[in-house]
Amino acid sequence: MNEAGRDRERLYALLPAIFRSRDALQGAPLRALLGVMGEELLAIEEDIARLYDGWFIETCPEWLIPYIGDLAGARALLPVDPQIASQRAYVANSLAYRRRKGSAAMVEQLARDVTGWPARAVELFQGLSTTQFFNHLRPGNVRTPDLRQADALERLNGPFETTARAADVRHADSGRGRHGLSSLGIFLWRLEALPVVKAPAAPAGEGEPGAEPGCFRFSVLGNDAPLFNSPRSEEDMAHLAEELHVPGRLRRRPLHEELEARRAAMVRGATPEEAWFASPAVIEVYADGRLLPPEQLLVCDLSTWAHPPTSKRYPDGRGGEVEMAIAVGVDPVLGRLAFPRERERPLPRTVHVSWYQGFSSGVGGGFYERQATFGPGTVYGVAVAPGPGQHPSLVAAMEQWALDGWPEAAIEILDSERHDAPPLIVPPGKRLEIRGANVQRPTLRAPADGWAVTLGERAALTFNGLLVAGGRVDVAPGDGAAMRLVHATLVPGHSLDPAGAPEADGPSLVASGGKIGFSLTVTSSITGPLWLQPASDLRLEHSVVDGLGGEGIRGDARGTAIGSLAVESCTVLGGAQAEVLELASDSVFTGAVQVVQQQRGCARFCALPPGSRTPKRFRCQPDLARDATAQEQAELGRRVRPFFTSERYGHPGYCQLRADTAEALRRNASDGGEPGVFHHLQQPQRETNLRTTLGDYLRFGLEAGIFYVS
């Protein structure tokens, strides 16, 4: 009997044994009656427990938080998705804010609680190179920086800067001035540090200057990519955040100094201090499946692919020296690895790495939770090193599925290795899902001349959690066929060169063949240009379509349009051509949108460049100045347009709207937030909440400036 069954039997168990025996002889009617009463007793106890939890901010349901906040005198804030930034910590710490009102640590905690972003508060006026009072000397505030302090120079213009500055007369709360006499800076990190877990490293390309066997890159696509820090939690509200506590880019010097101190301490027999390489370490390297200990890593500059030494010597404190082995050199700034050149030590056959990459959110293929998106069907496991009941390749899994004949199946890739993408044929009327296992991101290598995918009549195919690189996907659909991309990435440009630039400008997916009724749905994914046959239906949700400087969505033949288009909370880098625009909402287009039938559908709360021909529009930018003169409209079009941190896939700030984008566009979404693929992050609302609450807790005479580090 399970626990719930035992709870229902509690009342019956209280009866004397003689009554239970007589009840059993009569068919247990009393047991059944007390069982029903026991269920009601459980419901009452659960309701009492919920009411009790509602008394406390730590355990109350989300809807009750504003009511408790009202009792505590916490200012009401704009509603934000609790999964993005809950107000629970803000309300819970309200009294603590008042006790520490005006201090930098309190403002930092407030910013973190209200926005959900990692934050650091800096009293910028403390860093001014002003004449000092003898009773309050600040020895670090010298007018001329010490050029021998390389670590301090690396931190210039950032939140951890220690160099003194001349006074800035501009106001900090405008976002322009920083080092004023009354300035307090609040630095926020919008990018997340997303984990990459035991993924294969990419060998350096042949013919690359300086690259030799034993040289690798962290990125599976073979491009340079900066490594990010996984932020550690602070234990005390009175503590100001340091580099270790924020998801910033890793620097070489702090990691190098920690590993040098670690090796020196181990030689002396002392316990090394751990920060960046405390479990879990920010960087882990696996050679032939074996995790290399941190003391065998050497952090260095690999911009010229310099191979590290095989060992280094350290004093043992007794007049001698001990040699410590070096297994690999790591460059966290460029995302490179290099193994020592030594004839006696063979190079590893396989290299895997765990690290953290910077990105705005979990869009595209990645190592995050996707269990809720999995479809039904018989599961066929695939792995490079298959276990019992698993298959060594996609081909073997497809053959087994064909033998079994199941109408609905899922081929699940259980690891994050590279797999070859074979030709796919989904028989008529059947449904197939090819997906990465939960919290995995397998890479499928498409042929350079295209990955042939054939869909039978009314067949359905889903890509879930995949990273497809190397070539485009060529789909030959039958009548009524459907295809879905869920948390997938079809690499824009097919692959990236070492500098991160796309190596091609062709489409990521082409659907052609003259059939009717083909539909493509793209959800939380990243793709290059999409070329679909004229009768196709395309639906985009929370995704990026990168036109690579051209049109992002068009027909399979030049100058043609797709059938029907629906776009919701997406960023399209380029234009689009469609017969019908069913709906465009909370989205950003950087190229002109051309729609043939303008009597159907609508566009609302979008960024549509001048020259777009669409159905009826509602609050789209820059259309709000239609009555202005042509010159004024042209000026508005230049000013009210999206500016991105980066438009190149693989960059941490890919498709992130910059903070200096016009407010008319940054807050043009239906909920007052920013349109585009990261609309769900509700960043303008979180910033507004912070500005609203700052006035209640700032010290008199101070003004706070909000500065985005990432």
Side-chain angles (χ1 to χ4, degrees):
M1 183 182 297
N2 57 27
E3 185 175 353
R6 287 194 297 270
D7 288 340
R8 286 194 296 269
E9 297 286 333
R10 281 187 303 167
L11 295 178
Y12 188 73
L14 295 176
L15 292 177
I18 185 172
F19 294 115
R20 284 180 285 165
S21 299
R22 292 180 178 178
D23 183 56
L25 294 175
Q26 300 178 21
L30 183 58
R31 183 176 186 175
L33 175 62
L34 293 180
V36 174
M37 297 175 65
E39 291 181 357
E40 296 301 319
L41 177 63
L42 284 176
I44 294 173
E45 289 180 340
E46 291 176 358
D47 187 55
I48 292 174
R50 284 195 297 268
L51 292 174
Y52 182 78
D53 290 341
W55 282 99
F56 307 98
I57 186 62
E58 293 84 358
T59 56
C60 70
E62 196 71 30
W63 65 268
L64 196 54
I65 291 177
Y67 296 93
I68 297 179
D70 185 59
L71 295 175
R75 182 186 291 269
L77 303 178
L78 293 177
V80 178
D81 186 349
Q83 296 181 352
I84 299 298
S86 174
Q87 297 183 21
R88 189 181 300 273
Y90 165 65
V91 174
N93 293 327
S94 294
L95 299 181
Y97 297 153
R98 297 188 181 102
R99 288 196 297 266
R100 297 174 173 85
K101 185 174 182 179
S103 65
M106 174 261 135
V107 174
E108 178 179 292
Q109 184 68 36
L110 174 70
R112 187 182 300 112
D113 292 343
V114 170
T115 65
W117 287 315
R120 174 176 168 83
V122 181
E123 294 176 323
L124 297 171
F125 58 87
Q126 297 279 12
L128 296 179
S129 56
T130 57
T131 303
Q132 300 184 27
F133 181 43
F134 273 99
N135 290 339
H136 183 56
L137 293 177
R138 289 169 288 161
N141 288 32
V142 294
R143 181 173 293 276
T144 304
D146 189 348
L147 300 182
R148 293 171 295 183
Q149 299 294 329
D151 186 65
L153 295 176
E154 282 185 357
R155 290 181 284 173
L156 282 175
N157 301 318
F160 303 101
E161 179 182 358
T162 56
T163 305
R165 294 283 191 148
D168 191 341
V169 298
R170 295 173 297 182
H171 289 282
D173 53 9
S174 68
R176 302 179 62 193
R178 285 199 183 186
H179 303 276
L181 294 175
S182 59
S183 297
L184 175 71
I186 301 175
F187 295 86
L188 302 172
W189 282 260
R190 293 186 294 172
L191 295 184
E192 299 181 41
L194 303 177
V196 178
V197 184
K198 209 172 182 180
E206 296 182 3
E208 186 178 348
E212 297 179 359
C215 297
F216 295 83
R217 286 184 169 88
F218 279 79
S219 172
V220 71
L221 298 176
N223 60 296
D224 289 336
L227 276 58
F228 279 68
N229 173 49
S230 175
R232 310 299 170 102
S233 299
E234 297 181 67
E235 298 180 357
D236 186 8
M237 181 186 288
H239 181 269
L240 287 173
E242 301 174 3
E243 283 187 272
L244 197 65
H245 306 121
V246 297
R249 300 190 184 209
L250 294 179
R251 298 189 295 121
R252 298 186 184 104
R253 184 169 294 276
L255 275 64
H256 172 79
E257 291 178 350
E258 178 177 332
L259 292 181
E260 287 294 300
R262 182 188 186 96
R263 285 187 282 266
M266 294 178 67
V267 166
R268 299 192 308 270
T271 301
E273 295 184 3
E274 295 182 329
W276 304 98
F277 290 92
S279 181
V282 293
I283 301 173
E284 292 180 346
V285 181
Y286 299 80
D288 292 331
R290 182 178 69 90
L291 174 62
L292 300 178
E295 58 269 15
Q296 293 187 11
L297 274 58
L298 179 67
V299 176
C300 52
D301 184 355
L302 296 179
S303 56
T304 57
W305 289 114
H307 290 268
T310 58
S311 62
K312 293 189 70 175
R313 303 183 70 86
Y314 297 87
D316 59 5
R318 298 184 296 272
E321 290 186 339
V322 176
E323 194 169 310
M324 295 287 289
I326 300 297
V328 65
V330 177
D331 187 341
V333 175
L334 298 176
R336 297 183 178 187
L337 305 97
F339 288 85
R341 288 183 293 188
E342 185 182 282
R343 295 180 180 179
E344 291 77 11
R345 184 192 301 177
L347 294 174
R349 295 184 300 275
T350 61
V351 178
H352 294 78
V353 287
S354 294
W355 52 292
Y356 294 87
Q357 64 178 0
F359 199 55
S360 295
S361 181
V363 176
F367 295 79
Y368 41 81
E369 178 67 35
R370 292 179 290 103
Q371 189 72 43
T373 66
F374 288 178
T378 304
V379 178
Y380 297 85
V382 174
V384 169
Q390 301 173 5
H391 304 277
S393 65
L394 288 173
V395 173
M398 290 286 295
E399 291 174 350
Q400 186 62 48
W401 176 48
L403 290 174
D404 295 341
W406 297 109
E408 200 164 24
I411 297 178
E412 185 169 286
I413 303 175
L414 303 175
D415 53 35
S416 298
E417 299 287 343
R418 303 183 186 91
H419 297 261
D420 292 327
L424 290 181
I425 299 178
V426 183
K430 294 194 174 183
R431 307 176 69 88
L432 175 65
E433 179 179 11
I434 300 180
R435 69 191 184 209
N438 195 31
V439 201
Q440 297 287 342
R441 189 210 56 194
T443 300
L444 296 188
R445 293 176 293 200
D449 57 350
W451 181 9
V453 176
T454 303
L455 304 179
E457 185 176 346
R458 296 186 306 280
L461 175 64
T462 299
F463 288 167
N464 190 330
L466 304 180
L467 177 67
V468 181
R472 69 177 184 269
V473 180
D474 285 328
V475 183
D479 293 346
M483 186 172 179
R484 295 177 65 233
L485 303 179
V486 182
H487 288 287
T489 298
L490 307 184
V491 176
H494 304 165
S495 57
L496 305 180
D497 64 14
E503 293 190 336
D505 58 0
S508 287
L509 186 145
V510 177
S512 58
K515 302 297 182 180
I516 62 173
F518 173 66
S519 65
L520 173 64
T521 302
V522 182
T523 304
S524 299
S525 298
I526 299 174
T527 77
L530 301 175
W531 296 2
L532 309 181
Q533 58 194 31
S536 300
D537 295 332
L538 174 62
R539 181 173 184 83
L540 303 175
E541 303 169 341
H542 312 289
S543 298
V544 175
V545 178
D546 192 339
L548 300 172
E551 288 182 313
I553 302 166
R554 55 166 251 199
D556 56 349
R558 185 172 297 277
T560 61
I562 69 171
S564 172
L565 174 64
V567 185
E568 183 177 353
S569 299
C570 293
T571 298
V572 181
L573 301 179
Q577 296 187 40
E579 289 286 335
V580 177
L581 180 63
E582 297 288 353
L583 173 67
S585 176
D586 296 330
S587 297
V588 172
F589 295 85
T590 63
V593 179
Q594 305 296 336
V595 180
V596 178
Q597 300 182 24
Q598 300 178 30
Q599 296 79 19
R600 292 175 51 188
C602 69
R604 56 192 291 273
F605 303 105
C606 291
L608 294 169
S612 297
R613 294 183 302 170
T614 66
K616 183 178 180 180
R617 306 182 196 178
F618 178 75
R619 297 197 65 84
C620 292
Q621 293 289 2
D623 288 354
L624 297 183
R626 282 185 174 180
D627 296 335
T629 64
Q631 183 177 358
E632 291 173 340
Q633 290 184 8
E635 175 60 27
L636 186 64
R638 286 191 294 268
R639 183 167 52 86
V640 184
R641 64 186 182 91
F643 293 94
F644 300 102
T645 303
S646 174
E647 296 185 25
R648 177 176 290 183
Y649 171 74
H651 190 279
Y654 181 60
C655 288
Q656 178 194 58
L657 278 179
R658 284 184 358 208
D660 58 355
T661 300
E663 286 292 296
L665 181 57
R666 280 193 70 222
R667 301 177 182 272
N668 191 55
S670 56
D671 59 356
E674 66 178 34
V677 62
F678 301 122
H679 166 243
H680 65 282
L681 297 180
Q682 298 180 293
Q683 296 184 8
Q685 293 95 317
R686 293 150 79 177
E687 179 184 320
T688 299
N689 285 340
L690 177 57
R691 294 188 184 277
T692 300
T693 56
L694 278 176
D696 296 338
Y697 299 104
L698 276 183
R699 202 168 70 214
F700 178 76
L702 287 185
E703 58 182 29
I706 298 176
F707 307 102
Y708 291 114
V709 183
S710 62

